[in-house]
Structures are given as structure tokens and as C-alpha cells.
Amino acid sequence: MSSQTEERTVEDSRPPREGGDRAQYGVCAFLALLGTAVIVDALGIPHLTSGTDPVGPRAVPLILGGLLLLLAVLYAVDVARGGRGEPEAGEDVDLSAGSDWRTVLLLVGVFLANALLIERLGWVISGGLLFWGTAFALGNRHYVRNLLISATLSLTTFYAFAIGLGVNLPAGVLQGIL
């Protein structure tokens, strides 16, 4: 007979604290605030109905806001009863390792650069830098291949928005060429 042994960490073996985890109550408060904001915003929508739309545009946001409030209450009750999420069990995740701040800061820098350059350079160039920089920040070191893929992605999304959706992304320095 084989016996299975469960690996338990210190966190798993601790009994749940009375009253729940304060961080989880923060999530409950965020959900409640979000639900309230959605409801308040939905109440500002004029109540217009027609023969083809007897419900009007207010119904969906009101329902979603109500569901967010209900979720916040149910989650708060679960946390108060000692409920907590299951820890990450992925094989490729080292839970004892710290955060990779270099990658996070590189990604933030790439997104900020895109936001600052999109009007001047245009979507095709800033989007290409965004895609290439993201691949670089996440550890891919195939520079030429990433450049080709980034150029293809930015051109494809530029024309997909322009032709498919009718939304003109900024052309920037390529105005008249694209």
C-alpha cells in the first residue's frame, strides 16, 4: 500500500484567524465601492425606452452594480466565517521567491513610453516599441525576430482598427504613408 503525504506549509497548517483576513475585507470594500459607483453612474443615464428596446440602457449597469454589491456582501460573510483562497499550486511557480521588480519596472517603462510617444510617432511605431519592449522585458532575446513580429502586430492592429472598426489610430510621423 502506498501512502500519500500532504505537503503543508506553515501558512496551510495555521487555523484561520477569527474574523478573517483584513486584506480580504479590502477586496470586499473595493467591490462594494465599485458596485455603488456603477449604480450611481447608471442612475445618471436617461431612461429611454422604445418599441424595440423596452428595457432601456439603464438596466444592465443597474443589474451589474447590484450583483457587485451582492458579491461584496457574500464575500465578506465568507471571509468572516474563516474562508480563504487556495494557495497557488502551479508547478512552475516558486512561492518563496520574491517579486521580479526589474521586469515590472521595465514593463511600466515600456507602457509609459508608449503613452508618451503615441501621438508624436504614431501607433505603428509606438505600438511596435510597445510589443518589442514587452517581449524584451519578459525575457525574450530574439531581437530581430521580435522586431519583425512587433512591426507585423502594430501594422495589423493599425489597419484592423481603421478598416474593421472605423477607428483611426494616430499615424504620427507616418501620416500620409499609411
Side-chain angles (χ1 to χ4, degrees):
M1 292 191 79
S2 66
S3 64
Q4 288 183 326
T5 59
E6 281 189 31
E7 291 184 25
R8 292 184 173 254
T9 63
V10 174
E11 185 176 319
D12 289 339
S13 62
R14 275 187 270 163
R17 289 188 305 185
E18 184 85 18
D21 185 7
R22 288 190 328 207
Q24 299 307 314
Y25 286 123
V27 174
C28 297
F30 174 75
L31 288 171
L33 285 172
L34 186 62
T36 303
V38 169
I39 290 172
V40 168
D41 195 39
L43 292 175
I45 299 173
H47 186 65
L48 302 172
T49 59
S50 66
T52 58
D53 186 16
V55 178
R58 291 169 58 168
V60 172
L62 287 173
I63 291 169
L64 289 176
L67 288 173
L68 282 168
L69 287 174
L70 177 65
L71 182 65
V73 169
L74 292 175
Y75 190 38
V77 168
D78 180 54
V79 171
R81 290 182 176 175
R84 58 185 177 162
E86 185 175 319
E88 176 67 41
E91 292 177 17
D92 60 343
V93 178
D94 183 10
L95 296 176
S96 64
S99 299
D100 184 7
W101 289 108
R102 179 184 177 273
T103 301
V104 171
L105 292 175
L106 282 172
L107 287 170
V108 167
V110 166
F111 280 100
L112 284 175
N114 181 56
L116 294 173
L117 297 174
I118 192 167
E119 288 296 327
R120 291 184 189 103
L121 299 179
W123 167 253
V124 175
I125 295 173
S126 72
L129 291 172
L130 172 72
F131 297 137
W132 186 88
T134 301
F136 177 82
L138 294 176
N140 193 322
R141 298 297 183 252
H142 299 277
Y143 304 119
V144 176
R145 182 181 68 188
N146 289 344
L147 186 62
L148 294 173
I149 292 171
S150 298
T152 303
L153 277 173
S154 61
L155 279 168
T156 303
T157 54
F158 181 82
Y159 285 116
F161 271 79
I163 296 169
L165 299 175
V167 175
N168 292 325
L169 296 173
V173 296
L174 298 177
Q175 185 71 35
I177 297 173
L178 297 174

